[in-house]
């Protein structure tokens, strides 16, 4: 399966997906790395690894216009799925609807707890025993789609948001490649087929 990965910064999750795609039994390949920030370090990593990249700053563009150009680049790369990986823009319901069942996101909490931002600080403040990471399908509602996989990470005494985030990142890099591989291997599930038919019918 052909994956477009959207990033906004470091791109360590994108890198994890990229290197996992090089395993002999990997059922996916990264065909595009796109960002809303032309200075995102992940773009340079992807380019150095021979992956096509696309960057378009969102500043000064209406949201729908920025998204339309991002989606055009994704379609031009003939991607089957979109993997959001630290992509810090909310995607409009319109664009999400084009990719129903074919857009995934990684979120640094054990959903449905702590949707939105500052997830680690909130888990620590709540006195939770664990933080963690979730990979889920993207729907119109932020961080609310079907959860495809999760890994819990113990919160340790004295943890700050930064120290917890650093451990959760290790879990993220394990989770995303595994969940994506499993998900695209289910390729014939109804959402995919329906989305594909809809797309071909467009
Ligand atoms: C990760 O913590 C991820 O959970 C969140 O943003 C961060 C992205 O990091 N969505 P990277 O750009 O993949 O290194």
């Amino acid at each position: 399966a052909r994956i477009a990965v959207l990033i906004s910064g470091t791109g360590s999750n994108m890198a994890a997906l990229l290197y996992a795609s090089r395993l002999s039994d990997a059922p996916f390949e990264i065909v595009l790395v796109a960002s809303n920030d032309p200075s995102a370090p992940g773009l340079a990593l992807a380019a150095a690894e021979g992956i096509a990249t696309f960057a378009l700053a969102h500043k000064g563009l209406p949201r729908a216009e920025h998204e339309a150009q991002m989606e055009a680049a994704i379609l031009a790369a003939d991607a089957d799925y979109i993997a959001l990986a630290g992509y810090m823009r909310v995607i409009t319901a319109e664009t999400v609807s084009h990719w129903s069942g074919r857009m995934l996101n990684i979120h640094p909490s054990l959903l449905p707890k702590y949707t939105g931002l500052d997830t680690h600080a909130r888990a620590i403040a709540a006195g939770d025993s664990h933080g963690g990471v979730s990979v889920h399908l993207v729907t119109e509602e932020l961080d609310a789609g079907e959860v495809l996989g999760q890994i819990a990470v113990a919160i340790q005494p004295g943890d700050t948001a930064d120290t917890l985030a650093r451990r959760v990142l290790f879990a993220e890099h394990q989770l995303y490649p595994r969940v994506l591989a499993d998900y695209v291997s289910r390729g014939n599930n109804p959402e995919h087929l329906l989305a594909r038919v809809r797309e071909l019918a467009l």
Side-chain angles (χ1 to χ4, degrees):
R2 300 170 60 86
I3 315 294
V5 183
L6 270 52
I7 66 170
S8 293
T10 312
S12 72
N13 276 285
M14 175 276 294
L17 294 173
L18 170 57
Y19 296 129
S21 75
R22 297 202 168 144
L23 290 166
S24 57
D25 62 346
F28 64 85
E29 58 176 317
I30 309 302
V31 296
L32 179 73
V33 173
S35 181
N36 63 301
D37 180 351
S39 68
L43 290 168
L45 186 155
E49 292 286 355
I51 307 295
T53 61
F54 175 82
L56 178 65
H58 63 271
K59 294 179 202 63
L61 278 178
R63 182 180 297 277
E65 173 56 28
H66 179 258
E67 259 180 40
Q69 295 200 43
M70 294 286 281
E71 190 172 22
I74 292 163
L75 292 172
D78 196 21
D80 300 307
Y81 298 86
I82 296 175
L84 306 180
Y87 187 63
M88 301 312 281
R89 301 282 296 159
V90 173
I91 297 180
T92 63
E94 168 70 20
T95 301
V96 167
S97 70
H98 301 161
W99 296 86
S100 173
R102 296 189 298 143
M103 185 186 286
L104 288 75
N105 181 47
I106 187 161
H107 178 77
S109 82
L110 295 175
L111 292 172
K113 296 183 83 169
Y114 312 126
T115 58
L117 300 174
D118 301 321
T119 60
H120 304 305
R122 292 155 66 193
I124 293 168
D128 293 357
S129 61
H130 289 74
V133 53
S134 307
V135 171
H136 64 96
L137 289 178
V138 175
T139 59
E140 285 77 10
E141 189 184 348
L142 186 69
D143 301 331
E146 176 191 353
V147 173
L148 300 175
Q150 297 187 305
I151 296 177
V153 174
I155 293 175
Q156 299 174 16
D159 253 339
T160 64
D162 286 347
T163 58
L164 178 56
R166 211 168 301 144
R167 289 197 309 279
V168 171
L169 205 55
F170 287 126
E172 293 178 25
H173 298 164
Q174 296 301 316
L175 183 66
Y176 216 167
R178 175 77 63 83
V179 166
L180 182 61
D182 292 350
Y183 188 69
V184 302
S185 301
R186 282 197 266 156
N188 57 356
N189 79 26
E191 295 92 353
H192 300 250
L193 296 181
L194 192 59
R196 205 74 186 124
V197 165
R198 205 177 11 239
E199 219 239 315
L200 294 174
L202 278 181

